[in-house]
């Protein structure tokens, strides 16, 4: 799988090397595979393997837990991916969701003008002054709903999850007993016909987003914008990304999206430099006003306490699940020497790691497998567990280190006598003998 960082410079061999190592680990250990690989892959699309699918779920669950489960002011939604053109007309995506595209007359390569280091030089063939005039290219995927491919059947794959929250504003208001300030959260797939997908799963055409639209009284918008910037930055640190690999960068006026009066990006220090993980935008009343005007429906709020009607303003923290998973992998990756041997370890937070526990009988002998499976049966309902009885124990530990599994439980011959197991912690590699009867409580204390 070769998808080297296009933006890495020649002198950043070490960082490009780190990037390649992580991409290789993802393939080797079952995190991420190139999609349709047996046919040579398909245009920067990726499949999440047996290990990666656990991790991606954990990223989304950790987000849902902090944005929905642990709050009383945010509710969830799962809106359709297919949507009619009216939604995108109202949202401004037809007019504004475009990238400037240039073609190189020398080699035919196509590039995004705003992403070129030098807007006059083709990065593919180094030709100077050979670009065509920029054209605006709309990023939405168009399709047809139903058997007839005529104009009346045109539909779009959503390029963001956000619009489903705006079009359901009244439905949610009427059914959830919430009033501003309150939020609607959604996790799901989005699709963009990116001109230059790149850097592994950082920018792909099909990806997952975790977005929340927080509806507030207009005079509270600035305060909530600052609140959500702080909350979201803290979420990444809480889940194991070192603070020095994160920063909050306010957008300059010329960077703002068509709807935004203020946006800050949570940026992560990727191997190729600082880049966006999440945008927190103050969208004002733009979306509800637009959808009200285009649909003819009233999308506002009547506050009985003050006897006033107003259109709520919206603060939107919008993150990429797949991109965030990549950042967690990059922040967690470490190589170190242990007793003269190299070990690779993913120091993932236990809520993000694909498995929380690996259960490992010391040998495949008949005597050890039944008690190992009994331990597995005790832990499996509570934690995502891996079970592995092949190879020498040292190799199995190394494999679990590469998967980021925080704890390994080894059942050995002594276990048959003392009804206890050895628990090995991933980062310190320290081992502790724990009674099988106490094991569930022991883990509950450490893996909340
Ligand atoms: N509703 C606002 C919105 O969609 P965005 O900045 O375009 O804002 C939010 O997208 C997040 O979605 C980004 O910060 C990024 O993490 C993720 N994202 C956007 N485009 C992506 C792509 N092509 N591939 C992977 N993730 C992407």
């Amino acid at each position: 799988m070769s998808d080297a960082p296009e933006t890495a410079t020649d002198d950043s061999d070490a960082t490009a090397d780190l990037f390649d190592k992580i991409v290789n680990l993802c393939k080797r250990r079952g995190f991420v595979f190139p999609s349709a690989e047996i046919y040579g892959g398909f245009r920067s699309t990726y499949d999440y393997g047996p290990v990666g699918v656990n991790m991606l779920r954990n990223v989304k669950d950790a987000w849902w837990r902090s944005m929905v489960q642990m709050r009383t002011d945010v509710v969830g939604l799962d809106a359709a991916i297919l949507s009619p053109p009216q939604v995108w007309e109202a949202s401004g995506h037809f007019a504004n969701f475009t990238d400037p595209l240039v073609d190189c007359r020398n080699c035919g390569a196509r590039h995004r003008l705003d992403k070129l280091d030098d807007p006059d030089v083709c990065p593919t063939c180094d030709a100077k002054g050979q670009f065509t005039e920029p054209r605006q290219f709309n990023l939405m995927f168009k399709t047809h709903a139903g058997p007839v491919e005529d104009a009346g059947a045109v539909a779009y794959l959503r390029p963001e999850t956000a619009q489903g929250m705006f079009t359901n504003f009244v439905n949610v208001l009427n059914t959830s007993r919430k009033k501003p300030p309150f939020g609607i959260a959604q996790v799901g797939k989005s699709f963009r016909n990116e001109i230059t997908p790149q850097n592994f799963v950082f920018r792909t055409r099909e990806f997952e987003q975790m977005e929340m639209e927080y509806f507030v009284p207009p005079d509270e918008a600035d305060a909530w914008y600052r609140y959500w910037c702080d909350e979201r930055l803290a979420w990444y640190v809480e889940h194991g990304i070192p603070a020095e690999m994160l920063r909050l960068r306010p957008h300059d006026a010329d960077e703002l999206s068509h709807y935004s009066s203020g946006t800050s990006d949570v940026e992560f220090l990727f191997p190729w430099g600082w880049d966006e993980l999440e945008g927190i935008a103050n969208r004002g009343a733009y979306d509800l006003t637009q959808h009200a005007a285009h649909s003819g429906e009233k999308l506002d709020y009547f506050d009985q306490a003050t006897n006033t009607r107003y259109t709520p303003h919206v603060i939107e923290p919008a993150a990429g699940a797949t991109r965030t998973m990549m950042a967690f992998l990059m922040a967690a990756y470490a190589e170190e020497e242990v007793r003269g041997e190299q070990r690779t370890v993913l120091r993932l937070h236990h809520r993000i790691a694909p498995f929380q526990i690996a259960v490992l009988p010391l040998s495949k002998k008949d005597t050890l497998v039944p008690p190992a499976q009994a331990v597995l049966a005790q832990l499996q309902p509570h934690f995502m567990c891996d079970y592995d009885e092949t190879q020498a124990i040292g190799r199995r530990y190394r494999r679990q280190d590469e998967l980021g599994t925080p704890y390994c439980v080894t059942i050995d011959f002594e276990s048959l006598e003392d009804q206890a197991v050895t628990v090995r912690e991933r980062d310190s590699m320290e081992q502790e003998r724990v009674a099988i009867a106490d094991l569930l409580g022991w883990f509950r204390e450490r893996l909340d």
Side-chain angles (χ1 to χ4, degrees):
M1 183 156 50
S2 129
D3 193 356
E6 293 178 18
T7 47
T9 52
D10 291 343
D11 55 41
S12 61
D13 284 353
T15 51
D17 191 36
L18 170 68
F19 180 90
D20 284 343
K21 281 179 178 168
I22 292 170
V23 172
N24 287 338
L25 174 79
C26 281
K27 171 88 192 290
R28 195 160 40 80
R29 291 296 186 200
F31 282 87
V32 181
F33 306 129
S35 199
E37 194 180 13
I38 59 170
Y39 296 103
F42 180 65
R43 294 172 179 253
S44 291
T45 53
Y46 293 94
D47 299 339
Y48 290 76
V51 174
V53 73
N54 282 352
M55 182 170 172
L56 185 57
R57 283 178 81 112
N58 290 345
V59 171
K60 294 184 285 186
D61 286 351
W63 186 90
W64 195 264
R65 181 185 150 95
S66 82
M67 298 298 273
V68 182
Q69 183 181 338
M70 300 300 287
R71 304 188 66 102
T72 53
D73 57 348
V74 180
V75 294
L77 181 79
D78 191 357
I81 287 173
L82 282 178
S83 38
Q86 292 92 315
V87 170
W88 308 110
E89 184 66 51
S91 70
H93 280 75
F94 280 146
N96 300 306
F97 199 55
T98 55
D99 280 340
L101 191 73
V102 287
D103 292 321
C104 173
R105 291 192 190 88
N106 187 47
C107 72
R110 188 162 281 182
H111 297 283
R112 247 179 87 172
L113 182 62
D114 58 328
K115 293 283 174 189
L116 290 173
D117 287 339
D118 182 337
D120 218 24
V121 177
C122 174
T124 309
C125 70
D126 292 332
K128 208 167 179 249
Q130 288 300 316
F131 285 136
T132 56
E133 282 299 304
R135 287 180 289 127
Q136 291 303 324
F137 174 75
N138 195 290
L139 300 183
M140 281 194 293
F141 277 102
K142 190 176 177 181
T143 186
H144 292 91
V148 183
E149 294 199 359
D150 64 10
V154 167
Y156 290 86
L157 301 190
R158 65 182 179 197
E160 60 172 18
T161 61
Q163 297 306 318
M165 268 95 82
F166 300 127
T167 55
N168 278 293
F169 172 71
V170 172
N171 284 337
V172 174
L173 201 59
N174 289 343
T175 55
S176 67
R177 297 174 158 256
K178 300 293 172 202
K179 59 185 180 116
F182 83 101
I184 309 178
Q186 181 169 201
V187 174
K189 288 233 168 171
S190 293
F191 301 82
R192 296 181 188 180
N193 200 359
E194 299 281 3
I195 299 162
T196 50
Q198 65 185 25
N199 289 349
F200 193 38
V201 297
F202 179 81
R203 185 180 301 117
T204 48
R205 298 199 169 98
E206 175 178 344
F207 56 98
E208 282 199 82
Q209 288 188 305
M210 311 183 288
E211 297 196 287
M212 198 269 286
E213 309 304 324
Y214 200 69
F215 301 92
V216 301
D219 60 347
E220 295 178 18
D222 283 343
W224 282 113
Y225 171 61
R226 287 194 299 277
Y227 168 88
W228 281 112
C229 285
D230 293 345
E231 280 289 297
R232 292 305 306 147
L233 188 63
W235 183 84
Y236 294 94
V237 178
E238 190 193 322
H239 290 88
I241 299 189
E244 61 275 14
M245 297 185 87
L246 293 163
R247 71 178 187 189
L248 197 64
R249 186 185 67 81
H251 278 206
D252 295 333
D254 62 350
E255 279 180 275
L256 292 176
S257 309
H258 59 278
Y259 49 73
S260 173
S261 60
T263 297
S264 291
D265 285 346
V266 176
E267 292 190 334
F268 174 74
L269 191 53
F270 283 97
W272 58 89
W274 290 102
D275 219 331
E276 176 187 342
L277 273 186
E278 165 164 358
I280 299 115
N282 184 347
R283 299 178 73 119
Y286 175 83
D287 307 277
L288 292 180
T289 309
Q290 283 290 106
H291 283 298
H294 282 74
S295 67
E297 298 288 329
K298 255 198 186 133
L299 303 181
D300 54 17
Y301 176 71
F302 180 69
D303 187 350
Q304 285 176 333
T306 57
N307 210 20
T308 50
R309 185 173 285 284
Y310 63 87
T311 303
H313 283 205
V314 172
I315 310 302
E316 177 197 64
T322 36
R323 189 178 287 189
T324 296
M325 173 174 154
M326 182 173 169
F328 278 129
L329 283 170
M330 301 212 149
Y333 185 93
E335 289 174 355
E336 56 191 27
E337 208 174 288
V338 181
R339 290 185 288 279
E341 268 187 42
Q342 182 90 349
R343 95 162 172 152
T344 300
V345 57
L346 291 181
R347 300 187 196 280
L348 291 168
H349 187 280
H350 63 260
R351 281 208 206 115
I352 301 295
F355 301 104
Q356 279 71 59
I357 303 169
V359 176
L360 314 171
L362 188 63
S363 91
K364 263 197 278 189
K365 291 242 164 63
D366 289 349
T367 40
L368 292 188
V369 169
Q373 290 193 340
V375 166
L376 179 68
Q378 191 195 119
L379 299 175
Q380 236 173 356
H382 309 281
F383 307 104
M384 184 58 80
C385 298
D386 195 13
Y387 178 81
D388 187 2
E389 53 184 38
T390 57
Q391 295 186 317
I393 192 70
R395 291 187 131 205
R396 280 184 277 165
Y397 283 155
R398 294 290 173 269
R399 178 171 178 274
Q400 294 301 332
D401 288 343
E402 284 199 333
L403 298 181
T405 309
Y407 294 102
C408 290
V409 174
T410 305
I411 295 87
D412 52 26
F413 293 100
E414 222 182 307
S415 306
L416 303 174
E417 310 297 325
D418 66 358
Q419 295 302 307
V421 291
T422 300
V423 180
R424 172 193 183 262
E425 199 271 331
R426 177 195 66 204
D427 297 343
S428 63
M429 291 178 287
E430 273 171 16
Q431 304 196 355
E432 187 176 334
R433 202 76 184 158
V434 181
I436 292 174
D438 299 337
L439 205 51
L440 185 56
W442 195 92
F443 279 123
R444 279 205 163 126
E445 267 176 35
R446 289 159 179 83
L447 297 171
D448 68 321

